[in-house]
Amino acid sequence: MPMALTSDQHEFRIGLDLGGSKIEGILMSSEAAELARYRVATPRNDYAATVAAIVDLTARLKQGISVPTRIGIAVPGSISPFTGLMQNANSTWLNGRPFDHDLAVALGTPVRLANDANCFALSEALDGAATDAHIVFGAILGTGCGGGIVTDGRILDGPHGIGGEWGHNPLPWTTPDEYPGPQCWCGRKGCMETWVSGPGMAADHARMTGQMNTAKEIAARAECGDSDARATLSRHADRLARGLAHVVNIIDPDVLVLGGGLSHMSHLYEQLPQLMGPHIFADRSSVVIKAPKWGDASGSRGAARLWDAPASRQ
Ligand SMILES: [Zn+2]
């Protein structure tokens, strides 16, 4: 339940995180205190119902508040600056739709949309694991693989609206058996997402062992000493290290923060710096990789602050 709101608390933000299976919404004060949080299921494959679910969730969060609130939404994919339409969402029923326009009409107020990985990186940069870092790269490793860049508290985005997107770049420094790599939903082969996301890890494990397990199950088996599962985790960490080293060689972040379900795998924080070292083009190859402070809440927390810390192009 929302805490009691007094009349002098007049500055509120609402942040929504639209995921493939759930929509999470928070009400936040101007001091970034969380006042309420609700979750609803995402109406899959139904655009109109998705818009309606966001309107309902927003109304619940605004209950008892009579002053205008700023609304930000973390989305899979992004709005194309060229067409104004959604692109690149793995929740594919959003693609090709003027999502921000339709939401603004349905909500009766302008909304700011940003890629969910960008919102994650923003939240962790403003008051999370990377507070006060100059350049932050947030890497989401969950059902997909996304990324966001924040420099000096602002999301770095460009003319295509894809700043930080690394999930559909190819796995770098491939071995012969890794090329061309698995088919990706985006039409390419060997994308980072097909290797380092949870389903990517599970598919690699299945190819090598014939066993169908989720990433979580593989991690649990490795914990119990299962050598096949341990080998899968090793291959995964090595590939993730190569992908992240590629990012470091381009933007040289002060801090990398991992998010998504796989960010709970503690071995990554121990192994990645060492595995990345040989691929980093510098005489001192140390990197700072952190677990998220806010975890799953970072998408909605970052979304709530999109009006305070707009993207570099807004
Ligand atoms: Zn792809």
Side-chain angles (χ1 to χ4, degrees), residues 61-305:
L61 289 162
K62 282 180 75 172
Q63 233 168 7
I65 296 174
S66 54
V67 293
T69 50
R70 287 173 158 177
I71 302 173
I73 307 182
V75 293
S78 61
I79 296 284
S80 164
F82 295 109
T83 64
L85 305 177
M86 278 288 293
Q87 62 178 354
N88 296 339
N90 53 9
S91 301
T92 50
W93 62 96
L94 303 175
N95 288 331
R97 302 282 194 156
F99 196 33
D100 55 347
H101 174 265
D102 290 346
L103 285 171
V105 170
L107 290 163
T109 186
V111 295
R112 275 202 174 146
L113 263 61
N115 176 258
D116 47 15
N118 288 358
C119 292
F120 167 78
L122 180 64
S123 169
E124 293 296 337
L126 291 180
D127 61 357
T131 306
D132 297 330
H134 173 50
I135 302 174
V136 179
F137 184 69
I140 303 271
L141 307 166
T143 53
C145 169
I149 303 167
V150 171
T151 59
D152 296 326
R154 288 169 78 91
I155 293 169
L156 182 73
D157 224 341
H160 301 87
I162 56 166
E165 277 301 334
W166 71 312
H168 300 274
N169 283 359
L171 175 70
W173 299 289
T174 48
T175 58
D177 60 316
E178 290 172 336
Y179 185 81
Q183 181 68 49
C184 184
W185 65 267
C186 77
R188 299 167 182 85
K189 283 187 176 173
C191 294
M192 285 304 301
E193 182 165 304
T194 66
W195 293 111
V196 303
S197 65
M201 179 198 282
D204 176 62
H205 188 69
R207 283 192 299 272
M208 300 301 284
T209 67
Q211 298 163 13
M212 305 299 286
N213 295 114
T214 64
K216 202 173 174 180
E217 289 164 352
I218 294 164
R221 284 176 178 231
E223 225 16 55
C224 299
D226 180 311
S227 58
D228 284 342
R230 286 190 166 186
T232 297
L233 290 194
S234 292
R235 289 191 302 278
H236 176 267
D238 186 68
R239 288 162 180 155
L240 180 56
R242 280 180 268 157
L244 290 174
H246 206 194
V247 171
V248 170
N249 288 343
I250 298 170
I251 62 163
D252 199 8
D254 297 87
V255 181
L256 295 106
V257 189
L258 304 185
L262 273 60
S263 68
H264 298 295
M265 296 184 179
S266 57
H267 71 279
L268 293 176
Y269 304 95
E270 294 153 24
Q271 295 177 11
L272 284 173
Q274 204 176 352
L275 291 169
M276 289 167 68
H279 304 292
I280 290 175
F281 191 60
D283 57 358
R284 189 166 174 270
S285 60
S286 61
V287 289
V288 178
I289 301 182
K290 293 194 172 180
K293 175 176 177 181
W294 299 107
D296 290 348
S298 251
S300 52
R301 287 185 66 89
R305 300 162 96 176

